[in-house]
Amino acid sequence: MWSDYLVETELQGRRSVFTGRASEIFVRQNSQWINPGWHTDSTK
């Protein structure tokens, strides 16, 4: 699965915005879906 993300932070009154892409891997194991790994990549 892939997605875009946006994170906003504020530290001592200063705001920052970070955006990027994320990919996640899902595997079916013992009749359940598990998430063994993911990766994020920032965009500028």
Side-chain angles (χ1 to χ4, degrees):
M1 175 188 310
W2 61 269
S3 62
D4 295 320
Y5 69 87
L6 181 139
V7 177
E8 294 182 60
T9 61
E10 184 174 336
L11 181 60
Q12 298 177 344
R14 183 175 175 184
R15 288 187 177 190
S16 298
V17 177
F18 303 94
T19 60
R21 298 173 294 209
S23 10
E24 297 186 64
I25 300 167
F26 291 89
V27 177
R28 189 145 175 95
Q29 183 178 31
N30 300 325
S31 299
Q32 295 183 358
W33 287 102
I34 61 169
N35 180 292
W38 51 272
H39 173 78
T40 59
D41 181 17
S42 63
T43 57
K44 297 185 181 200

